[in-house]
Amino acid sequence: MPQEKEKHVTIDFAFRRELDQIIGGDHHNYCYQCGACVAQCPAAQYSESFNPRSILLDALLGRADVLLGPDSPIWLCTNCYSCYERCPQDVRPIEVIIALKNLASNRDAAPSDVATMTENILKTGVSGLITPAVQRIRESLGLKPLGDYPVDEMLKILPDEGKQP
Ligand code: SF4
Ligand code: SF4
């Protein structure tokens, strides 16, 4: 009978160390793969490709190709924080996912819509475009116009962006 080939898994510790440096990312180290975070995850209920336990496993293996690739599941998270409350290990899966999103943005690997929203925030302080139509509708509803935000103050507290001229 032919012998089964031994399977090896290579862990990318460099990627894990990089994730450790992003706020919230270091908690991925505490995950013991119990799956409690999946039970009440609304994104996991509606998408077979989303599972916070699997995302944490990929983080533990340092699988940047999966987590930061074009089909990464991290962008399906609804930011509901159910997993934060369920996790017995204080992993705070949502915050690891946010750290992964930040890492993806740092590497210019975020989906184009997300990248556009980020650019809008850096320019105007809000994620959507402030068009004349938006302003007219706001005025008709008695709301004050958008656009008067201290973006320069915001850039000062963003360590990387604040350096830009
Ligand atoms: S993140 Fe927490 S709840 Fe989810 S598998 Fe890991 S230890 Fe369990
Ligand atoms: S925050 Fe994201 S990963 Fe956590 S339970 Fe909600 S959808 Fe699922």
Side-chain angles (χ1 to χ4, degrees), residues 41-43 50 52 77-83 94 97:
C41 172
F50 187 87
C77 171
T78 66
N79 291 4
C80 72
Y81 272 77
S82 294
C83 54
I94 168 63
I97 291 170

Side-chain angles (χ1 to χ4, degrees), residues 94-109:
I94 168 63
E95 299 202 340
V96 175
I97 291 170
I98 290 172
L100 287 164
K101 288 177 178 176
N102 284 328
L103 197 47
S105 292
N106 289 350
R107 293 187 178 193
D108 292 328

Side-chain angles (χ1 to χ4, degrees), residues 22-107:
I22 310 264
I23 293 172
D26 58 329
H27 278 235
H28 83 275
N29 293 291
Y30 308 146
C31 177
Y32 58 15
Q33 289 291 292
C34 68
C37 52
V38 186
Q40 281 188 329
C41 172
Q45 282 175 29
Y46 286 97
S47 169
E48 284 179 8
S49 59
F50 187 87
N51 182 317
R53 184 198 58 74
S54 301
I55 289 174
L56 265 297
L57 178 59
D58 286 330
L60 288 166
L61 296 173
R63 298 193 64 192
D65 57 328
V66 174
L67 295 170
L68 307 186
D71 298 320
S72 170
I74 61 175
W75 305 100
L76 298 176
C77 171
T78 66
N79 291 4
C80 72
Y81 272 77
S82 294
C83 54
Y84 185 109
E85 293 174 10
R86 296 278 298 205
C87 177
Q89 277 290 92
D90 197 30
V91 172
R92 309 172 185 175
I94 168 63
E95 299 202 340
V96 175
I97 291 170
I98 290 172
L100 287 164
K101 288 177 178 176
N102 284 328
L103 197 47
S105 292
N106 289 350
R107 293 187 178 193

Side-chain angles (χ1 to χ4, degrees), residues 3-4 8 17 19 42 48 50-51 76 80 103 120-121 129 132 134 140 142 160-161 163:
Q3 276 201 329
E4 258 192 49
H8 294 279
R17 281 193 293 275
L19 182 57
E48 284 179 8
F50 187 87
N51 182 317
L76 298 176
C80 72
L103 197 47
N120 287 342
I121 290 169
L129 283 178
V134 168
S140 72
D160 295 330
E161 303 302 338
K163 287 180 199 142

